[in-house]
Amino acid sequence: AQKITQTQPGMFVQEKEAVTLDCTYDTSDQSYGLFWYKQPSSGEMIFLIYQGSYDEQNATEGRYSLNFQKARKSANLVISASQLGDSAMYFCAMREAYNTDKLIFGTGTRLQVFP
Amino acid sequence: DTEVTQTPKHLVMGMTNKKSLKCEQHMGHRAMYWYKQKAKKPPELMFVYSYEKLSINESVPSRFSPECPNSSLLNLHLHALQPEDSALYLCASSQTTGGGSPLHFGNGTRLTVT
């Protein structure tokens, strides 16, 4: 079964607008961590933001925020004020407490920002 | 600039060749990882080293052989590869393997097997 599901293969957003990238996950662990990464066409994976399962507040890092809804098992990434440089693949990933060595990635969402 | 350095950036090798991919980090991280990424797919975990000991081998074929000479270096030795092994190979490191310790990735090595 898929542990991490990203249902949007591609998204378009106009510059300066906000965009939400969806991520749902499946785990029976109470303790886990959720990560978002950005991968430009150059190939490097860039860490964006982290949310722990016990964190009461949604994580924020600059223009990135994570809309964490634990009961729904969703961890959506919100990018505010999109920029052309935000065009990239975005991956949601999870690490479970029982298997802390493994970071499992979703299938990704390709975001394209247009002027 | 990434703090995880991978060399070479590109590699073309024949099926009978032996080559190595190298990865280096100087952030004092104690966990290092190899991932394989095919085009338009997410990265797939291959190996994890924690405190210089191999902790995960995701049933990777023996033609891929990892080595962790010290806490800063990670190698991936390649031998008798197949064309389907052509992919982007990503190295990553993290402070530890647990909790909120994010993985920091290198720029990857684009491998083509002919």
Side-chain angles (χ1 to χ4, degrees):
Chain A
Q2 280 281 11
K3 289 269 189 181
I4 302 279
T5 303
Q6 294 180 253
T7 56
Q8 307 154 315
M11 290 283 285
F12 288 88
V13 66
Q14 190 164 30
E15 207 176 1
K16 300 179 187 170
E17 298 294 310
V19 64
T20 298
L21 306 184
D22 294 341
C23 173
T24 57
Y25 58 91
D26 181 26
T27 180
S28 54
D29 252 11
Q30 295 302 308
S31 176
Y32 50 89
L34 297 156
F35 302 78
W36 276 92
Y37 282 84
K38 171 185 178 182
Q39 188 175 39
S41 55
S42 58
E44 184 190 358
M45 296 283 284
I46 303 166
F47 167 67
L48 297 177
I49 197 166
Y50 165 78
Q51 180 85 42
S53 58
Y54 291 119
D55 293 341
E56 293 188 356
Q57 299 212 347
N58 287 342
T60 61
E61 286 287 347
R63 294 187 298 111
Y64 304 108
S65 60
L66 204 151
N67 183 359
F68 181 47
Q69 297 188 46
K70 196 168 179 177
R72 294 185 179 183
K73 294 188 175 177
S74 75
N76 299 339
L77 177 70
V78 181
I79 305 175
S80 63
S82 296
Q83 302 171 356
L84 295 177
D86 293 336
S87 295
M89 278 292 285
Y90 287 81
F91 291 99
C92 180
M94 178 174 68
R95 177 191 275 145
E96 294 168 298
Y98 81 94
N99 198 352
T100 57
D101 289 0
K102 291 183 75 166
L103 186 66
I104 304 165
F105 287 87
T107 50
T109 295
R110 178 164 296 283
L111 176 66
Q112 295 189 58
V113 182
F114 59 94
Chain B
D1 284 343
T2 180
E3 294 178 81
V4 177
T5 303
Q6 288 187 244
T7 55
K9 286 186 168 47
H10 300 274
L11 179 62
V12 179
M13 60 184 290
M15 290 190 284
T16 57
N17 291 159
K18 285 185 183 181
K19 297 284 185 184
S20 296
L21 308 185
K22 295 186 185 305
C23 176
E24 190 168 3
Q25 58 89 13
H26 293 289
M27 296 179 280
H29 290 174
R30 303 315 301 265
M32 295 188 77
Y33 310 74
W34 281 115
Y35 279 83
K36 172 182 176 181
Q37 187 178 24
K38 301 284 274 184
K40 300 187 195 294
K41 297 286 188 185
E44 293 176 3
L45 183 64
M46 299 175 72
F47 303 104
V48 180
Y49 275 84
S50 180
Y51 291 86
E52 298 156 54
K53 289 191 180 349
L54 183 66
S55 62
I56 289 184
N57 175 343
E58 287 285 277
S59 303
V60 178
S62 60
R63 58 186 183 268
F64 295 91
S65 174
E67 179 196 19
C68 190
N70 60 57
S71 60
S72 300
L73 292 174
L74 185 66
N75 298 322
L76 186 63
H77 302 297
L78 314 173
H79 172 57
L81 294 193
Q82 304 296 310
E84 59 265 28
D85 297 322
S86 298
L88 179 67
Y89 288 84
L90 292 161
C91 172
S93 70
S94 62
Q95 264 190 326
T96 64
T97 53
S101 184
L103 272 63
H104 297 261
F105 285 82
N107 287 329
T109 295
R110 291 196 185 273
L111 174 68
T112 303
V113 181
T114 60

